[in-house]
Amino acid sequence: MTKGALISSLGLYLHVECTGNKVKRISLSYELPDEPSPLAERIAAHLEKGAPCPSVELDLSGCTDFQKRVYSTVQGIERGERMTYGEVALLTGRPGAARAVGRAMATNPFLIIVPCHRVVARGGLGGFALGLDVKERMLALESLEGSG
């Protein structure tokens, strides 16, 4: 059974999976969730309207130490800001590991809470699992004046 909420401005559903009190996975999908999720609604409101980002405990048990450092660094990127893969690599103590950061972003199980859409290539947007058009729209939502 999936739980989630609609992100109307993207035309996508935010799905949230939890194990106990920990968030195991947050993803975007075109599929309607089985039931609503108050947490998914709060995360969607953060992205769409600039509401405070919910404070949640992430289940990092399936992540490598490098991924944990990258995800922690990326959580520090403020709404409306961007950072390059290389800058994230430098801040995690692994200068030159921009490609590894890109891989960590591609496998990020905590979308929006770990805002991988805010990590871009030096010369452009980089990649995004649901396509660059979705990444562009997510970034645009966050940079709109008066979105909060």
Side-chain angles (χ1 to χ4, degrees):
M1 177 174 293
T2 61
K3 294 182 178 185
L6 175 65
I7 300 179
S8 57
S9 56
L10 296 179
L12 291 166
Y13 294 96
L14 182 72
H15 290 239
V16 177
E17 296 175 44
C18 294
T19 304
N21 293 332
K22 291 184 179 183
V23 173
K24 183 176 180 132
R25 182 167 192 73
I26 301 170
S27 59
L28 293 172
S29 173
Y30 291 102
E31 293 185 32
L32 180 70
D34 296 321
E35 63 182 66
S37 162
L39 176 57
E41 290 171 7
R42 289 182 13 235
I43 296 169
H46 168 66
L47 179 67
E48 287 192 294
K49 301 173 183 151
C53 186
S55 178
V56 298
E57 188 174 353
L58 303 176
D59 180 355
L60 297 166
S61 62
C63 301
T64 66
D65 288 341
F66 178 72
Q67 287 171 320
K68 290 174 188 176
R69 288 194 312 272
V70 168
Y71 297 156
S72 177
T73 298
V74 170
Q75 280 185 287
I77 303 172
E78 295 293 326
R79 179 180 174 82
E81 300 295 322
R82 298 178 189 185
M83 192 175 284
T84 67
Y85 298 107
E87 290 168 332
V88 172
L90 187 63
L91 287 174
T92 59
R94 297 277 305 273
R99 286 181 188 235
V101 168
R103 182 77 181 130
M105 295 296 89
T107 59
N108 173 20
F110 311 110
L111 290 180
I112 302 171
I113 297 292
V114 175
C116 56
H117 61 284
R118 296 177 188 158
V119 182
V120 298
R122 185 176 48 216
L125 286 179
F128 196 70
L130 288 169
L132 292 181
D133 60 319
V134 173
K135 185 173 186 172
E136 276 183 311
R137 288 187 289 156
M138 291 172 75
L139 290 167
L141 279 172
E142 293 185 339
S143 64
L144 292 174
E145 291 277 321
S147 64

